[in-house]
Amino acid sequence: MRISSIECGRVLAIMAVMTIHLAPFTNPFDPQLWNSPLYFWLSDIINQLCRFAVPLFFLCAGYFLQPKLATGKPLAVALAYCRPLLLLWLAWSLVYLLVPFNPVAAMKEGYLTVMTDQWQMQLGDSLNAWWVGGMIHLWFLPALILAVLILALCQQLGKPRLALGLGALLYLLALIGGSYGNLLLGAEWAFLTRNGPFFSLLFVALGAALRARHWQPGQTLAWTLLGTGMALYALEVFALLHLADVAAARHDFLLGSVPWTLGLFALLLANPGWGAGSWLERQAPKVLGLYCLHMMLVVWLVILGPQGQHLWWEICKVPILFALSLLAYRLLAAHPISRWLLQAR
């Protein structure tokens, strides 16, 4: 079952992910380049407004998988769902470990010389590397796999609500050891709590629970949840910045992420015809492949793209990234050998 509004929402979400990763009005090589208060706040606002994306992906996964999990063999369904995702994670991890981030330097200085430094960056954090893979954004795949397996296990035990309880508990632990770590503990945990099932399980379980209950939200409820969630999220960002000196861009998830994502999902459910037949909807089947491949293009654009303070580049680089990602997708899809890198099948 496909719902046009949700399909379009997923495409907007992958654009938001690209925006987070390419980070307009920031420069990793020269943090002082966009150091004026205007650009500082603008970059943080853009970054945080895009944080609906990954929770929406998790929620959609649980929502659309639930009917299969309810057929009586949830673990078998989960394993069939997760096995291709695991292969995709392994394959893309290998790609990111073999392809140089700076191909120009690799040609000039030698492949192994350049890759040695790159591998240290990618695999140097042994505590978190196992949960991430060959590139930082690939954390999403094992997080989704673990959430689906835990949800299926709870279904197998006849206790689907247990997944919600476990998800809520892990979510709170993740906040305590992550965004709220400085405020409550004096420091964050060395383990990055964004990884694994800490955040993913709650959203996947919520999506499944909503589908099981045949949730049909109205416009009023959707806008109320959306507005409340965004307001709570903004309040948390402001409070953590001023009480614990936690930078806004550090946050992946907060308490407000839950009603914010639920409100957005409710709005899409309440308006299923939004975007029907549009170009945006036609890009939806590409979302997983675009997610996996886009980070290489991000790295190349950051390293090889225009350097210095260019306003035109900061405005245009995300649309350019999206266009290049679609082109890369088409090139990979054109060859049987590389086509399997784009879909979890």
Side-chain angles (χ1 to χ4, degrees):
M1 181 185 74
R2 293 189 179 275
I3 300 173
S4 295
S5 57
I6 293 178
E7 294 292 271
C8 292
R10 291 172 60 241
V11 178
L12 293 176
I14 192 60
M15 293 180 180
V17 168
M18 292 182 183
T19 303
I20 292 169
H21 291 156
L22 201 49
F25 304 105
T26 63
N27 188 307
F29 303 120
D30 184 5
Q32 302 302 315
L33 188 64
W34 299 94
N35 201 32
S36 74
L38 172 62
Y39 293 125
F40 174 81
W41 284 105
L42 183 59
S43 65
D44 279 351
I45 289 171
I46 292 172
N47 178 284
Q48 292 297 283
L49 283 176
C50 292
R51 293 295 176 171
F52 71 89
V54 174
L56 183 64
F57 286 148
F58 286 136
L59 198 65
C60 289
Y63 186 84
F64 289 108
L65 184 60
Q66 189 276 335
K68 293 183 179 180
L69 290 176
T71 57
K73 296 182 179 179
L75 280 178
V77 169
L79 289 172
Y81 180 87
C82 294
R83 192 178 296 111
L85 290 175
L86 178 61
L87 293 175
L88 203 63
W89 177 67
L90 292 171
W92 276 105
S93 291
L94 187 61
V95 169
Y96 280 100
L97 288 170
L98 293 178
V99 178
F101 291 167
N102 191 335
V104 176
M107 288 186 289
K108 290 181 178 179
E109 302 172 24
Y111 177 81
L112 286 178
T113 301
V114 170
M115 294 305 293
T116 299
D117 292 335
Q118 180 174 317
W119 292 330
Q120 177 60 35
M121 181 188 69
Q122 290 171 292
L123 304 175
D125 183 1
S126 57
L127 179 62
N128 292 293
W130 292 104
W131 302 87
V132 174
M135 194 59 177
I136 190 169
H137 72 303
L138 295 177
W139 72 271
F140 171 80
L141 294 175
L144 177 58
I145 289 169
L146 289 170
V148 169
L149 289 175
I150 294 171
L151 175 63
L153 180 60
C154 292
Q155 292 266 15
Q156 188 79 31
L157 296 173
K159 298 181 178 181
R161 291 185 180 180
L162 180 60
L164 279 173
L166 287 173
L169 177 61
L170 289 175
Y171 198 95
L172 291 175
L173 287 174
L175 290 178
I176 291 170
S179 289
Y180 279 82
N182 284 353
L183 180 65
L184 300 178
L185 306 175
E188 295 186 22
W189 294 344
F191 174 74
L192 186 57
T193 56
R194 175 200 63 189
N195 300 331
F198 284 88
F199 284 122
S200 60
L201 178 58
L202 178 60
F203 288 106
V204 172
L206 274 172
L210 295 177
R211 184 66 179 274
R213 297 176 184 181
H214 305 286
W215 194 45
Q216 293 182 326
Q219 300 278 357
T220 301
L221 176 61
W223 284 110
T224 300
L225 282 170
L226 183 63
T228 301
M230 294 184 72
L232 175 58
Y233 191 101
L235 180 62
E236 289 178 275
V237 171
F238 181 83
L240 288 168
L241 176 62
H242 289 273
L243 296 178
D245 197 28
V246 182
R250 181 264 171 267
H251 307 300
D252 296 300
F253 301 83
L254 290 171
L255 290 172
S257 301
V258 179
W260 180 5
T261 308
L262 281 174
L264 177 58
F265 190 72
L267 191 62
L268 296 174
L269 276 181
N271 298 277
W274 280 359
S278 66
W279 176 86
L280 205 62
E281 184 182 19
R282 292 195 295 274
Q283 308 314 306
K286 304 174 183 176
V287 165
L288 181 58
L290 291 173
Y291 184 92
C292 291
L293 70 84
H294 83 277
M295 201 63 183
M296 185 63 73
L297 299 174
V298 169
V299 173
W300 287 344
L301 285 175
V302 170
I303 294 175
L304 305 175
Q307 305 298 315
Q309 196 176 58
H310 302 292
L311 186 60
W312 67 270
W313 174 244
E314 300 305 309
I315 294 172
C316 295
K317 65 183 184 181
V318 173
I320 289 172
L321 171 62
F322 188 66
L324 290 175
S325 298
L326 288 174
L327 176 60
Y329 186 101
R330 176 171 291 187
L331 293 174
L332 290 173
H335 302 282
I337 296 177
S338 55
R339 188 179 302 147
W340 68 277
L341 287 169
L342 301 174
Q343 299 289 342
R345 294 176 181 172

